[in-house]
Amino acid sequence: MRIISDAEVQTTILPRLSLSSLLHSQALAFQSLRPSSSANRTIAQCPLRLSLRTPSHTQLFMPARTHTPNSVVKIVSVPTPNSAAGSGIPGVNLLFDDLTGRLSHVVNSTCLTALRTAAGSLASSVLALGAARGEVRSAVVFGDGAQAVMHVWLHQRYFGALTEVCVVVGSHRQLCADEVLDKGKRFAAQLEALPSPSRCSVKCISGQDRNAVQEALGDASLVFTCTPSTHPLFDHTDLTPSKRTHICAVGSYTPSMCELPASLVRAASSITGALVVDSIDACVAEAGCLLQALPSVDELRTRCVELGGVLPPADGEEEGYLERVERQAVEYGMGEAGVTLFKSVGVGVQDVEITKLVVAVAGDVGAEVAF
């Protein structure tokens, strides 16, 4: 059994992960949830998660497997609102070998959840804006946690012209000017600590400053919402109608949470292919942004398009997969202007494929333990 630490993931393995490999891994995950005409393809399994409550955390146990070999059990400890635990969500992914049935790898997954979510978002962004890649110069991100950092990091690796990032913090609580400044410095430092140092200038603003938020959104080609908000983070009218804008909404994951204005969701749902989700079934159960905006579950099912259905088939080699997505973008892109939306609540099969990818590139990274 091999044990791979979070430090090894971030310093040694992340630099080995190409954008093609990341997009390919998540395409495999999303497409494993879709019906297949192949008689030899096994059905993905993603049973309901189990939970345990402790004084300071809710511990979640999430087994899953795709149509590719080996299974993964993801375990995370989510701090309770009054927990004295540090920031972040500690986690571990356990990889089980199909042939032996034994545990083969223990991978610290503290940053992997953010990585796989951001990779799914990037796939949607390439489809929406890949045909206009050079025009993507600015992004707005709501939130300053690991999800927000990883979204900016992956997107600036692909969108070479992306040089301006506005981080919006304190959308629902008042922060003093020094707190906002400190959050901006920490965000920039986290970006710099990742492989391929960021070329972006980072500006941090308070979500309470409506004029600043509106100005930032008016210039943005990309918007990432990475908060557990229960109220919309901005107004639909803050977006520039004549500008290409793609939104990746990944923070809300329960029916009571909502990051997006209802009118924006309804507008995207009225355009064929403009409202893309990671999994329709998962969003029917958990996507508060969509459930609160659309009149019925049937409407949600008929108006949404699954990302796995619009990405190129991932059954082939991962090499060159990014280029295949780019070719798809020419056909799928939004056109001259408009807003497209990708809503992700996260599905367990994403953890399966990101864990397998990490293990595949790890080689002798980590500690081998007799078990």
Side-chain angles (χ1 to χ4, degrees):
M1 179 183 72
R2 184 168 292 274
I3 301 175
I4 302 175
S5 70
D6 181 57
E8 288 165 330
V9 169
Q10 296 205 43
T11 61
T12 306
I13 293 175
L14 282 186
R16 300 180 182 181
L17 299 176
S18 68
L19 293 181
S20 267
S21 67
L22 286 166
L23 266 58
H24 182 264
S25 77
Q26 295 310 290
L28 276 174
F30 294 134
Q31 290 171 1
S32 74
L33 296 171
R34 297 179 59 78
S36 172
S37 58
S38 172
N40 297 322
R41 181 166 140 178
T42 57
I43 299 174
Q45 300 175 56
C46 196
L48 293 175
R49 61 191 175 208
L50 301 174
S51 66
L52 294 175
R53 296 190 183 279
T54 73
S56 299
H57 295 85
T58 298
Q59 296 171 335
L60 304 176
F61 302 81
M62 297 164 279
R65 65 180 289 120
T66 65
H67 60 287
T68 62
N70 304 330
S71 303
V72 168
V73 179
K74 177 182 180 180
I75 305 171
V76 298
S77 295
V78 182
T80 57
N82 298 321
S83 172
S87 61
I89 300 177
V92 63
N93 290 358
L94 309 177
L95 180 66
F96 290 85
D97 185 276
D98 276 359
L99 293 178
T100 65
R102 295 180 177 178
L103 180 64
S104 65
H105 289 80
V106 177
V107 183
N108 188 302
S109 63
T110 300
C111 82
L112 290 189
T113 301
L115 178 64
R116 56 83 154 158
T117 304
S121 290
L122 178 60
S124 77
S125 299
V126 174
L127 285 174
L129 295 174
R133 184 176 181 179
E135 300 173 20
V136 178
R137 298 182 176 87
S138 64
V140 172
V141 54
F142 289 84
D144 61 335
Q147 291 279 13
V149 172
M150 200 61 73
H151 270 74
V152 171
W153 179 64
L154 274 191
H155 280 76
Q156 64 91 28
R157 284 181 62 185
Y158 176 74
F159 292 100
L162 177 59
T163 55
E164 298 179 5
V165 174
C166 181
V167 182
V168 184
V169 297
S171 293
H172 299 304
R173 64 187 181 95
Q174 192 69 44
L175 298 174
C176 70
D178 286 344
E179 288 177 305
V180 173
L181 183 63
D182 287 345
K183 282 180 173 290
K185 289 179 178 178
R186 284 199 298 271
F187 193 97
Q190 290 178 76
L191 270 183
E192 287 298 321
L194 290 167
S196 304
S198 173
R199 303 176 302 275
C200 300
S201 65
V202 176
K203 175 184 178 182
C204 193
I205 63 173
S206 168
Q208 304 291 319
D209 188 341
R210 288 290 307 129
N211 290 334
V213 171
Q214 186 175 28
E215 181 180 354
L217 287 170
D219 293 334
S221 297
L222 287 164
V223 179
F224 311 125
T225 62
C226 309
T227 78
S229 178
T230 56
H231 304 287
L233 297 167
F234 57 91
D235 295 331
H236 188 183
T237 54
D238 291 341
L239 302 172
T240 302
S242 59
K243 186 177 181 64
R244 297 169 182 257
T245 308
H246 182 61
I247 300 171
C248 299
V250 303
S252 62
Y253 54 89
T254 70
S256 62
M257 292 179 178
C258 181
E259 298 180 292
L260 304 175
S263 60
L264 170 64
V265 174
R266 288 193 290 268
S269 72
S270 68
I271 303 171
T272 302
L275 178 54
V276 182
V277 299
D278 52 0
S279 162
I280 289 177
D281 286 341
C283 284
V284 163
E286 299 177 329
C289 290
L290 308 187
L291 293 168
Q292 295 177 37
L294 299 177
S296 68
V297 168
D298 288 342
E299 189 87 357
L300 191 157
R301 288 188 177 278
T302 57
R303 294 300 182 97
C304 293
V305 177
E306 287 189 327
L307 183 57
V310 292
L311 286 171
D315 292 333
E317 293 295 322
E318 67 180 41
E319 184 177 353
Y321 188 74
L322 173 59
E323 288 73 20
R324 297 203 293 277
V325 179
E326 288 178 319
R327 288 196 292 271
Q328 189 90 338
V330 174
E331 176 182 342
Y332 188 76
M334 66 173 69
E336 291 302 315
V339 175
T340 51
L341 169 61
F342 173 59
K343 175 58 195 165
S344 172
V345 293
V347 284
V349 289
Q350 292 180 264
D351 300 301
V352 174
E353 291 302 333
I354 198 66
T355 304
K356 293 178 188 177
L357 176 60
V358 166
V359 167
V361 304
D364 60 358
V365 173
E368 188 70 30
V369 178
F371 185 69

